[in-house]
Amino acid sequence: MGCTCSKERLVHEDPAVLAAQTCFNVSEIQGLYELFKELSSSAVDDGLISKEKFQLCLLGSSKIQSLFADRVFHLFDSKNNGVIEFGEFVRALSVFHPVAPQEQKAAFAFQIYDLWQTGFIERDEVRELILALLRESDLILSADLIEAIIDQAFKEADLKGDGKIDLEEWNEFAAQNPSILKNMTIPYLK
Amino acid sequence: MFQTIRQMNRIIDNEERAAESVSSSPMPEEKLDGVLLGKYEICRLLGFGGFGKVYEACHVVTKQSVAIKVVSKRDLRERGLMSQFQTEIAAMRRLNHPHIVKLYEVLATKTKIFLVIEFAKGGELFDKFVKSGPFGEDQHRRWFQQLISAVQHCHSRGVFHRDLKLDNLLLDEDLNIKVSDFGLSATTKDIRPDGKLHALCGTPAYLAPEMLNDKGYDGDKVDVWQCGVVLYVLTFESLPFTGANVQTQLRRIRRGEVRIPRRGKPENLIHLMKRLLDPNAKRRITIDEILKDPWFKKGYTEIKVQQKNLEWEDENRPKSLNAFHLISFGSGFDMSGLFLDRPELEFSGSVERIVSKETPRRIVEIVEAAADRDIVTVTGKEDGMGAKVEGHDGTFAILIGVYRLTDELVVIEVKKKEQDGDMGAQFWKDKLRSRILELEHKPE
């Protein structure tokens, strides 16, 4: 490692520390660093990934409005300062590692779907998410059908029957339906 | 004596055209050297194939050794071999087997076509055999097993080689067979309405008797016969049918006059050879029977065909979808966009998911009806959750998943992957896309 690397280490977290906290080993983290450098240098090379850059990578355009990319960005940006730093990037990606625990994935998904951060997934949030999906895909569902699908999901997930899904119920539901967390795993990371 | 087992002249009969010898006629052309199309550095001339010169070359970046077959477009046109040449490419594209040379890519300039092919470092089995043979029964069996496995693969993908001989069996550095030169091959497309192939082609010494009777023949039977000739040559170091001239030779083949000497050869080997060289094509041993033959079976383990990365990870697909499955389809969740160097396998072309009122079974039926058996195989129908359409050439796969959404509706999900070329995209566009779209249920 040359001197440029030690300079970078002043800015970025120690790979060994990140390795201890995540599913990645040190050399994988170095690989992720290369990736991070590339992603963060598009448009403005400031060593950070802004929301625009993030959207550009995920959707191929920074112009498209995507509720999903929005939510995922916010979860990556754990310090909530509008940019993703390298440490945040590695920690968030670790959740998507094939060997990351299911509970971690479930908790991450729960936070994405809890749009208004009330600690619950509510019917209105689920409707909002489904409508967002329909807007960006070819799927066409009638309003009645959407309600029926939400009814069915709450019948299965809302065990306490209070009209909202808490984290505990969500974990149980995800354990019963592991395929709903499929998008929380990136096979390439193996 | 070995010269007697090499017969250079080949017969290519392009339907009406008279038999024409296109053996080793070096074309008076400029020598190819330097870097080809900025990609391959030409190293040396390897020899002359049916359609043109073959060079050894090496990829400029990866340094991988390849063989490049250079064919002149004008030459193909003038000799009326364009369609046969296209068959060769189509045949090779369908195949993916450890004992068949791979076609990596086809390049072209205004005047020439370049087939970039796997380079077999060991050269022709013929040369190896003449120089260092015979190799003994076990080695012969090993080669024969590899040959049969390769031929079985060809037939499963609707390709008939029709010119199997020692000269067309190449070797890699570990003395493994690589079947090459599909220049005279036929595909299922060439089968006439009578269910037979008709073109008279091949190398005289290896022609099967039924090829000479003008009544048409089965490509798979002919290939088996030629494997028999190969085994005969390996065992006895001579051709089963010889003659002072080609006419005599062909007459002997037509009569099926094969004498298999017994001198010191194992009984079961002679038995297998007799069954391979049975002049009666109907009675001749089949590939499936060869696989069960005692002499053949010794030490044989089924040779696995390596699958290209056209698999999907999600083997645990849900039977039905709930609200959160739908949500998880959101594109913002697809993190693959972050990985710049990920293999670009998936091809687009709309219809990723639609809802439909059809049953999963009906949808699979429609997919099957649309699938052209010449190009694709339909698998994975058993679980009632859709089907997988795979190109014979192994370059593309289309997964059509069917998931229950409500009592009345299903979601049809289409995933497409492709490697090298656009066969998959074409197939999807021409055969499947509109039929799937027709199934969509739109609320009033």
Side-chain angles (χ1 to χ4, degrees), chain B residues 10-15 17 51 76 79-91 160-162 181-187 190 199 201:
Chain B
R10 288 208 302 194
I11 301 167
I12 298 185
D13 174 18
N14 262 357
E15 315 296 32
R17 282 156 21 84
F51 294 131
L76 282 182
R79 290 158 65 192
L81 296 175
M82 194 55 101
S83 76
Q84 185 57 46
F85 182 64
Q86 283 164 346
T87 304
E88 175 176 9
I89 296 176
F160 310 104
H161 189 287
R162 297 197 296 190
D181 199 344
F182 286 78
L184 294 185
S185 65
T187 65
D190 301 310
C201 64

Side-chain angles (χ1 to χ4, degrees), chain B residues 195-241:
Chain B
K196 306 274 184 192
L197 294 168
H198 283 264
L200 173 64
C201 64
T203 306
Y206 287 78
L207 291 181
E210 68 269 25
M211 296 176 90
L212 299 167
N213 68 8
D214 270 345
K215 288 182 194 147
Y217 56 86
D218 294 319
D220 48 354
K221 301 275 181 195
V222 163
D223 282 350
V224 167
W225 169 275
Q226 294 180 342
C227 290
V229 179
V230 167
L231 186 60
Y232 185 102
V233 174
L234 288 175
T235 309
F236 298 114
E237 298 157 49
S238 65
L239 288 164
F241 300 94

Side-chain angles (χ1 to χ4, degrees), chain A residues 90-156:
Chain A
V90 176
R91 284 195 186 83
L93 274 186
S94 174
V95 176
F96 291 86
H97 197 287
V99 304
Q102 279 303 97
E103 303 80 64
Q104 213 179 18
K105 293 177 190 288
F108 200 92
F110 185 86
Q111 291 181 68
I112 291 176
Y113 299 156
D114 179 13
L115 297 174
W116 303 315
Q117 292 156 59
T118 55
F120 302 99
I121 298 175
E122 293 165 62
R123 284 187 67 101
D124 290 348
E125 288 167 326
V126 176
R127 188 181 304 106
E128 188 87 5
L129 285 159
I130 293 178
L131 290 173
L133 173 83
L134 297 182
R135 274 197 298 275
E136 63 159 56
S137 75
D138 301 326
L139 278 178
I140 306 170
L141 301 177
S142 68
D144 290 350
L145 191 62
I146 294 171
E147 292 312 311
I149 290 167
I150 298 173
D151 283 345
Q152 184 58 33
F154 274 75
K155 212 169 100 190
E156 287 171 37

Side-chain angles (χ1 to χ4, degrees), chain A residues 9-145:
Chain A
R9 277 197 184 149
L10 292 176
V11 185
H12 295 297
E13 290 174 60
D14 187 344
V17 174
L18 282 171
Q21 294 171 352
T22 62
C23 298
F24 302 107
N25 63 35
V26 171
S27 76
E28 285 167 337
I29 286 172
Q30 279 156 354
L32 286 177
Y33 184 66
E34 293 305 312
L35 179 66
F36 182 82
K37 268 203 305 203
E38 281 216 62
L39 297 174
S40 63
S41 64
S42 66
V44 196
D45 187 3
D46 52 5
L48 297 164
I49 299 176
S50 65
K51 198 170 176 179
E52 287 70 32
K53 289 183 198 172
F54 191 70
Q55 284 219 353
L56 187 66
C57 299
L58 250 48
L59 309 170
S61 163
S62 55
K63 300 276 190 301
I64 303 171
Q65 283 292 320
S66 166
L67 177 61
F68 304 106
D70 230 52
R71 294 298 302 149
V72 174
F73 179 83
H74 281 294
L75 274 255
F76 269 68
D77 177 19
S78 52
K79 289 183 191 155
N80 205 10
N81 60 354
V83 287
I84 302 172
E85 295 158 24
F86 182 56
E88 291 173 328
F89 182 69
V90 176
R91 284 195 186 83
L93 274 186
S94 174
V95 176
F96 291 86
H97 197 287
V99 304
Q102 279 303 97
E103 303 80 64
Q104 213 179 18
K105 293 177 190 288
F108 200 92
F110 185 86
Q111 291 181 68
I112 291 176
Y113 299 156
D114 179 13
L115 297 174
W116 303 315
Q117 292 156 59
T118 55
F120 302 99
I121 298 175
E122 293 165 62
R123 284 187 67 101
D124 290 348
E125 288 167 326
V126 176
R127 188 181 304 106
E128 188 87 5
L129 285 159
I130 293 178
L131 290 173
L133 173 83
L134 297 182
R135 274 197 298 275
E136 63 159 56
S137 75
D138 301 326
L139 278 178
I140 306 170
L141 301 177
S142 68
D144 290 350
L145 191 62

